[in-house]
Every structure is written in C-alpha cells, then in structure tokens.
Amino acid sequence: MSKKTKSDNQSLQIPKPILITAKFLQAISPKLATQFAAKLFTTPIKHKIPKREFQMDKQSIQHDVLIPSIDKTIKTYQYGNSPKKILLVHGWSGRGTQLVKIADELIENGFSIISFDAPAHGKSKGNSSIMTEFIASILVLEKQYGPFEFAVGHSLGGMAIINAIKQNLNVKKAVIIGSGDLIQDIISDFIRNLGLKPQIGDRMREHFEKKFGEPMNNYSTSVVSKNIETPVFIIHDNDDHDVNVKCAHNIHSHLKNSKLMITNNLGHRKILGNEKVINEISNFIRS
C-alpha cells in the first residue's frame, strides 16, 4: 500500500466544523447544503508563500491585469527577459510562483516566464474562483503578453490550459502535471470528502450548469482533448492522493498527440520540484 506524503494528508483534511455544518444543513435542507457545498467548492485557500519561492517573487516584474469578461483583476509575474515566453498556470489554491523550480530550468534554457495568481489566489483579490476564470485569465494574458511558445500547468491549471487551447490559445506544445479530468468525478470526490450524499453533488452540478448555461462535462479534460491537435506531455504520479492517476491515462487515450510519464512516490505537489520530471519537461520542450 502506498504511503501518503505529508502534503497529501494536509490537502485532504477538512476542518471538523465544516463537516459538522455540512451534515447539519443536509439534514434540514438539501438546498442549503447544496449552496454551502457550492460556496466551499469555489473558495480557494490562500497559503503563505514558502521560502523556495521568494526569489521568483522578488525578481519578477508584477502587474495587476483586469480580466474584462469576469470583471476581476489578477496579479501577473514576468520572470526572465527572453522574448521567447512560456506560460505557467498553477492549480487550485496555488499561486503564480508555485512552479518556480520548473520556471528556473526553463529560464536556463533561454525562455522567460509569464505566470499569474488566478482570481482569489495568491496576491489576487477576491474570495471565490472557478476553472472558467482560470481559462478567461489565460486568454487575456495571451493577448497582453503573448505569443507564448509553450504552456505548463499543474492540476486545475492543466485542465485550464487544455480548455484554453480549445478556445484558441496558440502554443506549440503543452505540459500538464497532475491534471484532473471528469468534472463529475471532481464534484463527487469533493462531496464525498464533505461526508454528504451523492444527491448533493448532483444538485451542485445542476446549480453550476444553470449558472453557466452549459453542461459542466464540456470542460472535462478528456472530452476537450478529443479536438486538440497540440502535442501534450502528461505527467502524473501513481501516489497522487488529490487526483487519481487514472485521469492521466484517460486524458492520454483521448488526445491525438500526447506523451505520458507516470512517476512514483511524488504525490500531487512534490512532483513539481523533482529533478527528473523537470528534465523531462525541458527535453519535451526542446525536442
């Protein structure tokens, strides 16, 4: 049986008061329980920036950029000064400096980095966000800072990149690390971790579909991948306890031009700083 890393355990812990509140609301009103779950689902946790990211934070040029379609402002990071630019996209509850080890390697290879704090993440203002806002941010940054040679995304950031490519983000290649796949699975896992009945998950999905006017499954990575011609490097760890490795295999099976790398004992976040993984990303981009 695989051993969970400390970061995996932390990411799966939900405070007891939240679990108690969720079950209480479910008992008295499925509607209130759905609203509560939906709010939690769209509320990221802002973590304190770790020391390993200080250099990128200090040396990057930072700007506030308005994303008109969602009327939100995000913090952007320009790291390095090469005209050949690579877009980095963090995952849920991440920040623009989170992929710093990958960024440093790419700068050594003659590129510069554009990254950002998604709405309600890092230094960006707000309390809520959702993947469609990640996608909207990517597309605005392409117009403002692009063109980008390549794009690299972690977790939800990987999902957002694939969706952005579908919406005409133009990159030569993409790398997705620990990416999620089916929206319904993500919702079901979230509801199960809250200790709620599956019916609340169905109600929450319907809530978002009514809000956005389209099926949530339209944003599932494997569904979007069917129409993607861009070469994609998929990296995932067997011991990822946040996003099951089956997501990587399913995405790989639906893409027309993809490469798959499966690692072990790196979990969902440690993988971002692994030397072998970073070297393979560099090789893929250079090839």
Side-chain angles (χ1 to χ4, degrees):
M1 187 175 180
S2 62
K3 187 177 181 180
K4 292 186 179 183
T5 65
K6 183 179 179 182
S7 63
D8 286 331
N9 286 328
Q10 286 177 336
S11 65
L12 291 174
Q13 286 180 349
I14 297 176
K16 283 187 177 180
I18 290 179
L19 296 175
I20 293 170
T21 301
K23 288 186 177 181
F24 172 74
L25 291 174
Q26 179 177 249
I28 64 170
S29 170
K31 181 178 179 180
L32 289 176
T34 301
Q35 292 173 346
F36 181 71
K39 181 174 177 58
L40 288 177
F41 190 73
T42 56
T43 304
I45 299 170
K46 289 192 177 186
H47 298 286
K48 185 178 179 181
I49 183 171
K51 290 183 179 180
R52 63 180 174 272
E53 298 173 26
F54 282 1
Q55 179 177 321
M56 182 175 176
D57 182 55
K58 183 178 180 180
Q59 294 185 358
S60 59
I61 299 171
Q62 300 177 22
H63 292 289
D64 291 327
V65 174
L66 175 66
I67 311 302
S69 64
I70 58 175
D71 194 27
K72 291 186 178 183
T73 299
I74 61 172
K75 182 72 69 177
T76 64
Y77 301 81
Q78 295 174 261
Y79 189 45
N81 51 26
S82 170
K84 297 188 297 181
K85 300 172 184 176
I86 297 179
L87 176 70
L88 300 187
V89 186
H90 66 77
W92 187 251
S93 294
R95 61 208 157 266
T97 53
Q98 191 171 14
L99 280 66
V100 60
K101 295 295 185 182
I102 296 171
D104 286 339
E105 173 69 16
L106 296 176
I107 285 177
E108 286 187 14
N109 284 312
F111 297 96
S112 62
I113 301 300
I114 299 295
S115 65
F116 64 99
D117 294 334
H121 290 72
K123 299 177 183 179
S124 295
K125 295 180 180 179
N127 299 310
S128 68
S129 188
I130 199 165
M131 183 169 63
T132 52
E133 297 186 349
F134 279 61
I135 299 166
S137 299
I138 290 171
L139 296 176
V140 168
L141 294 188
E142 181 186 31
K143 292 178 180 178
Q144 183 149 339
Y145 294 104
F148 299 123
E149 301 277 325
F150 310 101
V152 181
H154 175 237
S155 196
L156 183 65
M159 299 180 72
I161 284 174
I162 297 298
N163 274 275
I165 290 173
K166 180 189 176 185
Q167 297 182 33
N168 297 319
L169 169 68
N170 185 21
V171 290
K172 296 174 182 176
K173 297 178 180 178
V175 180
I176 60 174
I177 308 165
S179 175
D181 181 18
L182 301 177
I183 303 297
Q184 185 58 56
D185 286 352
I186 295 170
I187 290 175
S188 296
D189 288 345
F190 178 77
I191 292 299
R192 184 167 53 252
N193 288 334
L194 279 176
L196 299 177
K197 296 176 182 178
Q199 293 90 328
I200 301 299
D202 293 336
R203 292 176 66 105
M204 191 172 82
R205 174 180 51 77
E206 292 167 359
H207 162 80
F208 286 121
E209 290 181 342
K210 183 178 180 181
K211 181 177 180 179
F212 293 103
E214 63 178 316
M216 296 298 287
N217 192 49
N218 286 355
Y219 293 92
S220 294
T221 314
S222 58
V223 173
V224 176
S225 293
K226 296 175 184 177
N227 300 312
I228 300 297
E229 303 280 352
T230 305
V232 179
F233 186 16
I234 305 161
I235 308 172
H236 214 112
D237 192 77
N238 270 322
D239 302 295
D240 188 328
H241 299 287
D242 286 39
V243 182
N244 195 289
V245 70
K246 70 180 182 181
C247 294
H249 291 287
N250 196 40
I251 296 167
H252 180 53
S253 70
H254 285 83
L255 281 165
K256 297 177 181 179
N257 187 355
S258 62
K259 173 184 176 182
L260 178 63
M261 177 183 181
I262 303 298
T263 60
N264 294 294
N265 303 314
L266 295 177
H268 191 62
R269 293 169 184 81
K270 189 177 178 181
I271 195 171
L272 297 176
N274 181 263
E275 184 176 348
K276 183 179 179 181
V277 169
I278 294 171
N279 286 337
E280 288 297 324
I281 292 172
S282 181
N283 292 336
F284 175 74
I285 284 174
R286 289 201 308 261
S287 65

